[in-house]
Amino acid sequence: MTFKSLRVTLLAGVAMAATAGPAVADLLPTPVTLIPVPPDQANVQPGQAFTSFDISFADPVLSLAGTGNIFIADRSNASVDIFSGSSLTFLGRAIGFAGQTGNNNTSGADGVLTVTSGGVTTLYAGDGNSTLKVFNVTTTATTASATMQANIATGSPSLFRVDEMAFSPQSNQVLAANNAATPAFGSLFSTSSGHPPVALIGTPPPGNQITIPGQPAAGGLEQPVWNPQTITNGPSFWISVPQLTAVATNPGGVAQISTTGAVLQTKDFGNSTLFPGISPSGGCSPSGLAVSASGNMLVGCNHAGTQAVLLDKNGNFLKIVGAGALGGTDEIWYDPKTDKFYVTGGPGGSTPGTRFFDVVDVNGNILQTVTVPTTTSAHSITVNPFNGDVWVPIAANAAGCPLGCIAVFTPVPAPIVGAGLPGLILACGGLLALARRRRRTA
């Protein structure tokens, strides 16, 4: 941000402070910090550009580098990239993945999560050859690459990717989805307080593979979560299911899975009595799923221009969110600091110039829409829980980062509208801090 643009923004703040009305939440301005993604020798893309990626994940525990680190599945560099959430700098990589193969089902890295406890940070990442890779990333800030500790096959006969996953601190288990397999299935892995040793649970595959009853062979499985607030059947895993029955127009739903791998129940969005107002003709196809501190869950619809669905902690319908506005969603993130959901996608799906992500409160109200008109890669997002920064990977060929980058949106405190001078001071202080931070980053 230049001083000229800062002056213009401050003048806008004066006008807002002089306007009567209620207080306004923190805003995510369009100007962002762009972090380049350095190429690795495994990158074979033209110009070694950052062109393909998958899940983003913010570690919620303080690390050696300051605030929790940010982890991004980088298929272009056949790695999981690790960034500092405080200095906004690249730290290192977990390497050894399939990379960008030209087939989404065999590319990797894919799903990503971390568990930090006892001063140790463990990274779990799915790969395109149906394996779960486990790394120690505790000291990545001082070493070039992370240490792989396990490479576990899930037994998929198609050798398609292990994708999104969730961790249960109650049972010390990881649930990972093989969403491209036919049929799609989930796998449970045991851990030691979230760390190695890590082992596939159950009898040899396919006997231990978790499938959804009635789902068609090519139905897929998407983002899972662990919900400790669920009362019906107790704390459980929940997972987005793009299609729950063999009927082609079925809009999908969610499934509840126990720590023993049993499918406890399914919530079919095609039931108009239980889920009124959901678009017909397959009009949801759940993909993203996130759980709030209260246990409410937001389900993102992958179909463009449809909606998101807000559920309570037991998977019951609460409301349609953004009917006709949300859609084309992939990853959804919940940030406990702000108590908000961050929803990727747009009414045009991946069409340039449409919404890039929305900020949604836990009651299903859209608070802000953020657009990045030059990108078509609206599907990966995470939020640093220590400062509210929103991290969004941007593929190459976008203006401002021709070789690809990570865009970081830093919240700016909005003025307390109607508060006059105090509101203006609040707004100006936040903007000046933002300007100083960007100068330091540059």
Side-chain angles (χ1 to χ4, degrees), residues 381-428:
I381 193 167
T382 193
V383 181
N384 186 331
F386 297 99
N387 57 24
D389 281 356
V390 180
W391 289 63
V392 179
I394 304 291
N397 300 319
C401 47
L403 294 179
C405 62
I406 312 300
V408 182
F409 295 77
T410 299
V412 176
I416 302 175
V417 180
L421 183 59
L424 177 60
I425 293 172
L426 177 62
C428 294

Side-chain angles (χ1 to χ4, degrees), residues 9 13 21 41 51 125 171 183 207 233 251 253 318 341 352 376 382 387 389 401 404:
T9 307
Q41 61 183 4
T51 59
S171 60
N233 299 315
L318 290 178
F341 296 105
T376 62
T382 193
N387 57 24
D389 281 356
C401 47

Side-chain angles (χ1 to χ4, degrees), residues 212-221 240-253 268 282 285-286:
I212 307 301
Q215 187 188 34
L221 288 173
S240 285
V241 187
Q243 190 174 341
L244 268 170
T245 72
V247 178
T249 57
N250 178 263
D268 187 351
S285 186

